[in-house]
Amino acid sequence: MKKVLGWKKIEIVCVIIVVAFMSFLIGIYYQSRTERGSIRSLCSGWYQMKDGKRIELELPCSVTADAEGKVILYNDTLTEDDRGLIVSTRGIQDNLEIRTGERILYHYADNQFQKNKQMKGKMWADVRLPEETGQEPLCFIYDGTAGRSLDIQVPILGSFSAIVVRHLQASAFSILMIISMLGLGIVAVSIFLYTRHRQLVEKRFVNVAVFLIICSLWCILDSGIYQMYGKHSAAGSLVSFYAFMLMSVPMLHFIQNTVSKENQWIPEIWILLFYGNAIGQGIVNIWFAVPFKNMLFVTHLILFTGVAAMAILLWREYQKHQTQELELCLKAFGVLGISGVIALALYWMYAIYWYDALFQFGILLFISFLFWGLLCKVSNDIQYRMEQAVYERMSIEDRMTGMKNRKAFEQQLDQLQQDVMLLENALLIFIDIANLKTINDTYGMQIGDEAVIRTARSIQAAESDACEQHTECFRIAGDEFAIVVTRPQKRPEEWEQMIRNEMKKESGSRYPVQLEFGCSYLRKADGTLLSISDWKMQAD
């Protein structure tokens, strides 16, 4: 009962956390209509100056950089009413600078943790318009490569809270992935605790939970939202890099716990590689001041080769054993490998900043396959355990009376023999139906069986009335019963009287059932300890 209440409390706490989180998100997403309506897109009113001529532009568009690699855009549609509003745009990866006249409103500068173009591409440049807005045109300056075409996106204009909401909406997919990962992590921990409670320890649920927590940490700290509004964005970037470098380790432990023992050294190699990579990059960064972004390719290389090696290992294991569990693991690593290759191609070949969304989705599919395989295995194991428990219970239970049988009686005596030095005393009572053969001969076997059942009920009722904490009742033969009381409080005479009283209630005016009793204490009056065989013989 206490365990049930404990689980209920945990469930209530989880529900409260989920409701609070949902309320927070609802509060962010559903601002007042005035704030939501205050956002507008600055798609028109843009122009370039070339050879003293004004060239009108409509965003979004592609603009070719000049000989110096610069793209300069102007907008003179802002008025005094726009003072204090926020202009937000992408383009940080192209060294964006925002001005009004000669005044620099925004220029990206790396903090202690240097970022590459892909990392900068996740962020927005948010600028609060100054008091002189409307007097000078707004100027966006992009610094790229000479002759290269730049894709200029549409800036938005609005209040700070409305801009933040828009950024959250743009990051909705990543937020959904993070929530899903955390949710699956909680489910994995819950299943592990449940299976451990059922004495079925499945460490791979812990591996999955740790993997999902690290992935969530990486996704949160690597997001544009955190990089823009986080209080310690440099520290967050460092933690996200280390999370990315080490998040594969729990999954390698998962593989170790899945494959046969002779192949467990293969995942161990990549575990050591990931740890060595994390330590090595830290040393190189501290001693030689090499930015982590310049060493990212090493992590990608180890990650790619690791996924490929694990997929091959699982394929060989599947060829040998052909189990559903290995098949699902193989499919999971196939999905992860495909999504990872595509994400790496987008990252290195096209420098696309949203590569991580595809990788996050691949991780979610990967975990879904693994989860299904684990759940199937655990379900089968629990079913097997339940069948074993039923078989075990049936093997020690007397079907006619529901009492434990002679096998259980002998097991109880064996246990007592092991714990005998810890016991102050124990009482053994034998009860025999003296006239069972006469009842069978006179009234028939069915009535004889009824006499046995009535006797068993009487013994069980007496046990309930006795309120002895450590009592076990057994039917050890066709007409013979036994009661074992450890740390007895009542005397044998009291037990005999209670059982006879219960038999009178059971018998009524029907045929009489005659009972004979024998009893013995495990320790004599002087404290001498009897052997189990002598104890049984004396009681019999």
Side-chain angles (χ1 to χ4, degrees):
M1 186 66 181
K2 290 182 179 179
K3 291 179 180 177
V4 173
L5 291 174
W7 281 107
K8 287 291 183 184
K9 289 179 180 178
I10 293 172
E11 184 178 357
I12 290 170
V13 171
C14 291
V15 169
I16 292 172
I17 293 172
V18 170
V19 171
F21 190 68
M22 288 177 60
S23 301
F24 174 73
L25 286 178
I26 290 171
I28 291 176
Y29 275 94
Y30 291 93
Q31 300 289 329
S32 65
R33 293 185 179 180
T34 304
E35 285 188 338
R36 298 295 289 276
S38 65
I39 289 182
R40 71 176 192 266
S41 298
L42 294 177
C43 55
S44 59
W46 294 93
Y47 61 92
Q48 281 184 295
M49 298 300 296
K50 287 188 178 180
D51 301 325
K53 294 181 180 180
R54 175 168 169 159
I55 302 173
E56 300 290 342
L57 296 173
E58 188 80 13
L59 300 185
C61 67
S62 294
V63 182
T64 303
D66 60 20
E68 297 179 359
K70 293 186 180 295
V71 172
I72 303 175
L73 302 181
Y74 299 94
N75 188 296
D76 55 10
T77 61
L78 299 180
T79 66
E80 294 180 357
D81 295 336
D82 297 321
R83 295 172 182 174
L85 295 180
I86 304 296
V87 172
S88 180
T89 186
R90 290 193 185 272
I92 297 176
Q93 69 273 20
D94 295 313
N95 301 311
L96 173 64
E97 183 177 287
I98 302 176
R99 294 171 173 261
T100 54
E102 295 299 322
R103 180 176 178 179
I104 298 176
L105 302 179
Y106 177 86
H107 183 80
Y108 177 79
D110 268 322
N111 51 29
Q112 290 177 311
F113 193 95
Q114 296 183 26
K115 299 177 178 63
N116 56 24
K117 281 192 172 184
Q118 295 88 334
M119 297 168 67
K120 293 176 185 177
K122 300 176 184 179
M123 301 168 63
W124 297 268
D126 286 1
V127 176
R128 186 176 295 277
L129 294 177
E131 289 298 319
E132 57 268 24
T133 299
Q135 301 173 14
E136 298 281 352
L138 187 66
C139 178
F140 282 13
I141 303 173
Y142 300 88
D143 190 2
T145 305
R148 188 171 70 89
S149 180
L150 297 182
D151 293 324
I152 310 298
Q153 299 189 29
V154 180
I156 56 176
L157 178 67
S159 64
F160 176 77
S161 58
I163 293 294
V164 172
V165 170
R166 182 62 63 89
H167 292 339
L168 288 172
Q169 289 174 337
S171 306
F173 182 80
S174 292
I175 293 173
L176 179 62
M177 291 298 102
I178 292 169
I179 293 173
S180 300
M181 289 179 189
L182 289 173
L184 285 174
I186 293 171
V187 171
V189 172
S190 301
I191 294 175
F192 170 74
L193 294 174
Y194 171 75
T195 53
R196 191 178 68 172
H197 173 69
R198 297 293 298 268
Q199 297 181 346
L200 184 65
V201 178
E202 180 53 86
K203 294 180 180 179
R204 288 180 295 178
F205 280 113
V206 177
N207 300 146
V208 169
V210 174
F211 171 72
L212 289 169
I213 291 169
I214 296 176
C215 280
S216 302
L217 187 65
W218 165 61
C219 294
I220 292 168
L221 298 179
D222 193 50
S223 65
I225 296 292
Y226 180 83
Q227 291 302 318
M228 289 176 62
Y229 304 119
K231 188 175 181 181
H232 304 287
S233 60
S237 296
L238 179 63
V239 174
S240 75
F241 251 71
Y242 269 95
F244 184 72
M245 285 191 280
L246 297 176
M247 69 182 184
S248 300
V249 172
M251 281 297 95
L252 291 168
H253 284 297
F254 182 100
I255 297 299
Q256 272 191 317
N257 294 325
T258 301
V259 300
S260 52
K261 288 187 177 180
E262 61 267 21
N263 290 324
Q264 289 181 354
W265 61 272
I266 298 176
E268 190 66 38
I269 291 176
W270 265 267
I271 290 173
L272 294 175
L273 281 174
F274 278 112
Y275 280 124
N277 176 52
I279 296 170
Q281 289 198 26
I283 293 172
V284 171
N285 178 261
I286 293 171
W287 285 0
F288 303 103
V290 177
F292 282 98
K293 66 173 186 175
N294 296 344
M295 298 181 282
L296 186 58
F297 74 94
V298 179
T299 304
H300 285 168
L301 182 62
I302 297 174
L303 185 62
F304 176 78
T305 55
V307 171
M310 295 309 106
I312 294 171
L313 175 60
L314 288 170
W315 170 255
R316 290 180 176 176
E317 287 282 325
Y318 178 69
Q319 292 291 85
K320 289 181 182 179
H321 304 290
Q322 298 283 325
T323 63
Q324 182 186 15
E325 180 187 3
L326 285 171
E327 182 183 3
L328 288 171
C329 286
L330 186 59
K331 289 179 179 178
F333 271 85
V335 168
L336 184 65
I338 292 170
S339 65
V341 168
I342 296 174
L344 289 177
L346 293 175
Y347 185 91
W348 289 108
M349 296 174 62
Y350 301 102
I352 293 176
Y353 64 86
W354 45 263
Y355 72 94
D356 59 336
L358 180 63
F359 191 46
Q360 290 167 12
F361 185 67
I363 288 174
L364 206 59
L365 287 178
F366 166 71
I367 288 298
S368 299
F369 276 110
L370 292 184
F371 240 100
W372 181 250
L374 275 180
L375 289 175
C376 288
K377 180 181 182 300
V378 168
S379 176
N380 292 335
D381 289 346
I382 289 176
Q383 183 178 356
Y384 174 76
R385 288 287 184 91
M386 290 176 66
E387 290 173 354
Q388 287 292 102
V390 170
Y391 174 78
E392 180 66 23
R393 188 175 71 250
M394 290 176 63
S395 70
I396 61 173
E397 185 180 278
D398 177 59
R399 294 188 180 183
M400 180 184 293
T401 62
M403 300 176 77
K404 293 182 179 181
N405 60 17
R406 188 174 192 88
K407 178 182 177 181
F409 175 66
E410 297 297 338
Q411 290 176 352
Q412 176 75 3
L413 295 185
D414 290 342
Q415 186 63 43
L416 281 176
Q417 190 164 12
Q418 294 177 17
D419 301 335
V420 68
M421 300 306 296
L422 303 176
L423 292 175
E424 294 181 6
N425 210 341
L427 173 63
L428 175 61
I429 303 173
F430 283 133
I431 303 108
D432 185 70
I433 303 176
N435 60 336
L436 183 61
K437 185 177 185 305
T438 303
I439 292 172
N440 286 331
D441 294 342
T442 305
Y443 302 102
M445 296 292 292
Q446 185 176 353
I447 302 301
D449 290 345
E450 185 182 335
V452 172
I453 293 171
R454 285 161 52 196
T455 304
R457 286 177 183 168
S458 301
I459 294 170
Q460 290 169 330
E463 177 197 2
S464 178
D465 293 341
C467 298
E468 296 270 20
Q469 291 185 357
H470 307 281
T471 306
E472 294 285 353
C473 300
F474 309 87
R475 183 190 180 197
I476 57 177
D479 60 352
E480 192 171 1
F481 299 84
I483 302 175
V484 177
V485 187
T486 53
R487 300 183 181 89
Q489 303 297 319
K490 287 184 167 50
R491 298 189 305 278
E493 295 82 6
E494 294 178 272
W495 276 98
E496 180 179 345
Q497 188 59 47
M498 286 190 297
I499 294 171
R500 291 191 185 279
N501 291 339
E502 293 296 334
M503 277 300 295
K504 289 179 182 178
K505 297 176 186 177
E506 285 283 339
S507 299
S509 59
R510 291 178 291 181
Y511 51 87
V513 176
Q514 299 173 10
L515 300 180
E516 293 182 350
F517 291 83
C519 63
S520 175
Y521 282 104
L522 187 58
R523 291 184 185 274
K524 296 180 180 179
D526 59 1
T528 305
L529 188 67
L530 297 176
S531 66
I532 296 296
S533 58
D534 289 344
W535 187 39
K536 287 169 61 179
M537 186 180 298
Q538 191 176 89
D540 199 29

